[in-house]
């Protein structure tokens, strides 16, 4: 196995081990140092509003492919969808879930059905609640706008892979009189969200969605582990830069490879 | 009390396949004993995944057509729009069928679906891109009206400098400040964001791989 392969596998294993240890520690402590993220407060407020008013909650899962890197943020979105569906299940209306990819559409409907089944309310589930709106970024955005205006939504939550087309969702949400919260792993999309919203989800904040909606102990502990590993990676990067500056990297590589 | 216990077959299958593909990624095919098997199994699973994703896209399109057909049949404000979607889907499908049976799919001069793409979809998407520019400009202006934080002020300041430096040939800004912002600060910021996104992706992937998150409903 190559050196980078060994380091990669070790990194993943240590990360996973830390996740387990951290979740065990938090199970004992039952306290978690939360950081205030306005976007998640807005989502909880929107959930309450949708239940009280009996209005529609729109949840968008983006256009990320399920067999690509962006699937991670889609999985976070699906987990958040499950939590939100539980919280608004008492409302008359089920959430409207849109996506721009076929497999994500199937998974979103599966998530809705499994959640309603788990709550003993499967009769409330309708397959038409999960829609694949369009397979390209702009067709997805353009197809979603009339849906948002027709369904009289009160909340517009977007968690998934979006580029600059996320601006259309903000514009449509505003026209529909709905509060919009968005988070993406796409840098261009994040820049647009930062400009469009007073409570943007920037960087890795979108991955904290499950933890903030109480999706489970491992979600909360993974936030802590991410913070620790971020510092580890920063120290490694700075250390690497220092080694290069002092011209010591060749010596270190020789030591690792065992060369004389 | 009788309990309804269902063995989570889908979770077991997903976790097993996930582990094989992950190990196949780290352990090269040249590794002794398991290397070759893991690599070929991982490749096979990925190929099956690609085929299934394509089938899922077809299912998604059928879902899209079914929903718009239902909306078209029931009276609503955007009934006409749904009707147009259904008709154009059917028309494009028919054109694709003609292309296939006439053997025009590979011929850009004869292919009807490519004609539709070039003369309908491309112009419409370009128009939407133009509209997007307007919306983004409007959003940038609206930022001024909101309660301004230090970060938003920095964002707007950098945005204006880069915009002016790109569009106009202003001495010092175009040749020094803009490249410095784009090549040093923007790249450093991007790396910082990507670092966080990478760790978030890893945590999310491990939760799925360990069966804590089961987006497949298992």
């Amino acid at each position: 196995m190559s050196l980078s392969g060994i380091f990669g596998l070790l990194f993943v294993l240590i990360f996973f081990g830390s996740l387990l240890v951290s979740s065990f520690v938090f199970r004992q402590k039952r306290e978690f140092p939360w950081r205030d993220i306005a976007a998640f407060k807005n989502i909880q407020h929107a959930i309450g509003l949708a239940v009280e008013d009996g209005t529609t909650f729109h949840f968008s899962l983006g256009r990320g492919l399920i067999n690509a890197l962006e699937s991670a943020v889609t999985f976070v979105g699906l987990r958040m969808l499950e939590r939100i569906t539980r919280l608004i299940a008492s409302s008359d209306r089920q959430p409207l879930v849109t996506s721009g990819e076929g497999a994500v559409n199937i998974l979103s409907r599966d998530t809705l059905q499994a959640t309603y089944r788990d709550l003993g309310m499967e009769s409330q589930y309708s397959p038409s609640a999960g829609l694949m709106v369009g397979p390209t970024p702009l067709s997805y955005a353009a197809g979603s706008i009339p849906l948002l205006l027709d369904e009289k939504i009160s909340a517009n939550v977007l968690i998934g892979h979006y580029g600059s087309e996320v601006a259309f969702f903000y514009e449509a949400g505003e026209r529909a009189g709905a509060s919009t919260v968005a988070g993406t792993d796409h840098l261009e999309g994040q820049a647009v969200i930062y400009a469009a919203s007073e409570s943007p989800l920037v960087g890795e904040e979108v991955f904290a969605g499950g933890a903030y909606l109480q999706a489970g102990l491992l979600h909360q502990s993974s936030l802590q582990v991410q913070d620790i590993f971020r510092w580890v990676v920063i120290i490694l990067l700075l250390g690497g830069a220092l080694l290069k500056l002092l011209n010591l990297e060749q010596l270190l590589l020789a030591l690792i490879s065992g060369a004389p | 009390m009788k309990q309804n216990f269902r063995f989570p077959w889908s979770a077991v299958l997903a976790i097993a396949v996930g582990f094989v593909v992950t190990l196949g990624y780290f352990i090269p095919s040249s590794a002794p004993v398991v290397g070759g098997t893991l690599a070929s199994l991982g490749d096979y699973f990925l190929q099956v995944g690609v085929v299934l994703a394509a089938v899922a896209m077809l299912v998604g399109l059928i879902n899209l057509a079914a929903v718009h057909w239902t909306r078209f049949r029931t009276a609503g404000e955007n009934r006409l729009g749904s009707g147009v979607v259904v008709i154009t889907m059917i028309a494009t499908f028919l054109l694709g069928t003609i292309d296939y049976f006439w053997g025009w799919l590979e011929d850009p001069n004869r292919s009807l679906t490519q004609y539709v793409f070039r003369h309908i979809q491309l112009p419409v998407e370009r128009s939407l891109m133009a509209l997007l520019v307007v919306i983004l400009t409007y959003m940038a202006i609206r930022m001024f009206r909101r309660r301004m934080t230090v970060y938003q002020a920095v964002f707007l300041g950098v945005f204006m400098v880069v915009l002016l430096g790109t569009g106009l040939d202003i001495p010092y800004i175009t040749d020094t400040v803009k490249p410095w912002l784009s090549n040093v600060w923007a790249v450093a910021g991007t790396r910082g964001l990507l670092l966080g996104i990478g760790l978030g992706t890893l945590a999310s992937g491990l939760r799925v791989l360990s069966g804590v998150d089961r987006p497949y409903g298992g």
Side-chain angles (χ1 to χ4, degrees), chain B residues 74-86:
Chain B
T74 52
E77 283 174 24
N78 261 316
R79 189 181 179 190
L80 191 67
S82 291
V84 171
V85 172
V86 174

Side-chain angles (χ1 to χ4, degrees), chain A residues 110 150 174 198 219 222, chain B residues 71 142 146 207 213 216:
Chain A
D110 197 35
D150 273 8
E174 195 169 293
E198 285 188 63
H219 278 263
S222 67
Chain B
R71 286 163 66 91
R142 216 173 47 177
R146 285 207 300 259
R207 283 197 303 265
D213 281 359
Y216 38 82

Side-chain angles (χ1 to χ4, degrees), chain B residues 9-51:
Chain B
W9 288 110
S10 54
V12 171
L13 191 68
I15 292 166
V17 171
F19 266 105
V20 169
V21 174
T22 309
L23 287 176
Y25 177 77
F26 285 114
I27 300 171
S29 54
S30 56
V33 191
V34 290
T37 316
L38 272 179
S40 50
L41 257 180
D43 282 348
Y44 173 73
F45 286 142
L46 285 175
Q47 279 169 20
V48 171
V50 170
V51 173

Side-chain angles (χ1 to χ4, degrees), chain A residues 7 90 110 150-151 196 217:
Chain A
F7 275 128
S90 56
D110 197 35
D150 273 8
E151 295 286 336
L217 205 60

